[in-house]
Each structure stands twice: as structure tokens, then as C-alpha cells.
Amino acid sequence: EDQVTQSPEALRLQEGESSSLNCSYTVSGLRGLFWYRQDPGKGPEFLFTLYSAGEEKEKERLKATLTKKESFLHITAPKPEDSATYLCAVQAHFGDGNKLVFGAGTILRVKS
Amino acid sequence: SAVISQKPSRDICQRGTSLTIQCQVDSQVTMMFWYRQQPGQSLTLIATANQGSEATYESGFVIDKFPISRPNLTFSTLTVSNMSPEDSSIYLCSAATGSTDTQYFGPGTRLTVL
């Protein structure tokens, strides 16, 4: 069964204090790994898709990386507006390839 | 990217009643999905809404409880039937233009059942 585990559950940072969020996954052939951001009371907002080990993608202060077993979301010099829940999801090649399996998320709070 | 709207944004319902949630996409999409997000938890896929055929339900979800329609390539509905307080949740619609494409999400419908 495909599984996604995110850590830590919650993270508090000072503004400017860089850190990383982890997403460990078990999947029967990875088709894609997705990162989303979710603000309270809103739907998930797409950030990145990673398809193969070694791939990296960047957007502003965020950088996502992928290995064969996990993905990291690196946040460089975060600002209070980066506070949100960050969700990781995997899509498998085999079986129902359209399905996304989500992790529980990491709640990030950035204080000024 | 697709822009997705949902109606209603929130509702408070009585036990035993049903609520239909609408999902509208601003462009034609291949795939549409319905998810549930229970308080403090992550997203769980309820079903894939198939255009012109019956929805494909995930384990633990059944058509009698969550009937889904998808009459065309831009619109879908999810009905939560015979509701109980355990159905209180956020219901989210998503859409993708292909089987390997990114899923974009609507804003969600926050349902409270009393």
C-alpha cells in the first residue's frame, strides 16, 4: 500500500531561520511527487511536481528535492507569509495512476 | 492551471438530511476528483468522477452515501446523503487535464452536521 509520512508535524521558525520539511514515501513505482501549500480555510495550492530522483525545483524561498525514498522542501530565510500547512502527495505508476496519496502535512509557523 | 469554484462554501445541516456540493472548472478537464479532509487531518480521496459513466469509489466510500454526477467536462456534484455528525468535514473538489497532470483544488466546502 502506498504511504506518505511527513515530519515534523509542526515547525516554528523565526523569520530568516532556514529549515527543511521531510516527506518519506513508499510507493509501487513513483509517477510523481507533489508539494502543496494549504492556508487555513482554503484548498491546497500547487507548488511543485518532482518525477525522478535527483530532480530539484525552486520557487522564491522554496526548493524541493527528491531521492528514491524521500523528498525535502527547503525554506530559505522564511517570512511570516510562508506560514501554512505544507502537504506532500505521491502518485503511483501502477494500479490507479491518477490517485494522489497525501501525507498528514507539516504545519509551519514563521514568527517575525 | 485550472480555476475551480465550489458551492456552497459552507453549510450547517441537520442529521438525516442530504447536501449536494457543486464543483465548476473554468476549462475542460479530463479528470475530476472528490476528497474529504476531516478536522486536523489530511486529504482522503472519496472518488474519481468519470464523465459519462459511474464514479470510481475508494475503499470505505460507497455510492449510496456519496452519489456523484459528472454531466460534462467542467462540472461535477457530490451529494452527502443521510448525514450524521461524523460527516462533518471539508469536502474538496480537484481537477487535472490528464492522468499524470497536476491536480488543482477548489476552495472546499465546510460541512457541519448537527
Side-chain angles (χ1 to χ4, degrees):
Chain A
E1 184 179 329
D2 302 334
Q3 210 162 7
V4 178
T5 303
Q6 292 188 244
S7 61
E9 291 183 11
L11 181 62
R12 289 191 169 204
L13 299 174
Q14 287 295 126
E15 184 172 1
E17 179 186 3
S18 301
S19 189
S20 297
L21 313 182
N22 178 262
C23 171
S24 298
Y25 63 90
T26 304
V27 65
S28 54
L30 181 69
R31 177 177 282 182
L33 184 141
F34 300 80
W35 283 98
Y36 288 87
R37 168 193 171 126
Q38 186 173 27
D39 293 298
K42 297 189 176 182
E45 174 191 345
F46 170 70
L47 294 174
F48 304 108
T49 309
L50 301 167
Y51 293 104
S52 57
E55 189 175 359
E56 299 182 354
K57 288 193 177 174
E58 287 188 69
K59 179 181 179 180
E60 295 180 359
R61 295 176 292 281
L62 300 177
K63 178 180 175 180
T65 62
L66 181 65
T67 72
K68 289 186 177 179
K69 293 185 178 181
E70 58 191 349
S71 176
F72 291 93
L73 185 65
H74 306 279
I75 304 176
T76 302
K79 298 182 177 182
E81 52 263 40
D82 295 321
S83 297
T85 297
Y86 290 85
L87 299 169
C88 171
V90 296
Q91 190 178 55
H93 263 301
F94 307 109
D96 185 356
N98 304 313
K99 178 180 176 180
L100 286 181
V101 175
F102 280 86
T106 293
I107 301 170
L108 174 66
R109 291 289 176 259
V110 182
K111 299 186 89 173
S112 58
Chain B
S1 65
V3 177
I4 302 171
S5 59
Q6 289 183 231
K7 289 182 181 179
S9 58
R10 59 178 60 224
D11 207 342
I12 301 174
C13 301
Q14 295 298 319
R15 180 195 299 260
T17 62
S18 298
L19 176 72
T20 295
I21 303 168
Q22 298 179 8
C23 177
Q24 179 73 55
V25 189
D26 70 339
S27 58
Q28 292 188 345
V29 292
T30 307
M31 314 294 297
M32 293 183 75
F33 306 87
W34 287 98
Y35 289 82
R36 182 172 73 182
Q37 187 172 29
Q38 294 182 300
Q41 298 190 25
S42 192
L43 282 73
T44 301
L45 181 64
I46 297 172
T48 302
N50 301 310
Q51 196 267 328
S53 65
E54 201 169 276
T56 305
Y57 290 84
E58 295 298 306
S59 175
F61 298 96
V62 295
I63 187 171
D64 290 345
K65 176 67 176 178
F66 297 102
I68 287 170
S69 78
R70 190 175 171 196
N72 56 50
L73 293 175
T74 64
F75 186 79
S76 178
T77 66
L78 169 75
T79 298
V80 186
S81 302
N82 187 25
M83 289 184 285
S84 67
E86 292 71 37
D87 295 318
S88 296
S89 189
I90 298 172
Y91 292 86
L92 292 150
C93 169
S94 74
T97 55
S99 62
T100 58
D101 283 1
T102 300
Q103 288 186 30
Y104 294 93
F105 284 83
T109 296
R110 182 180 293 272
L111 171 62
T112 302
V113 184
L114 302 177

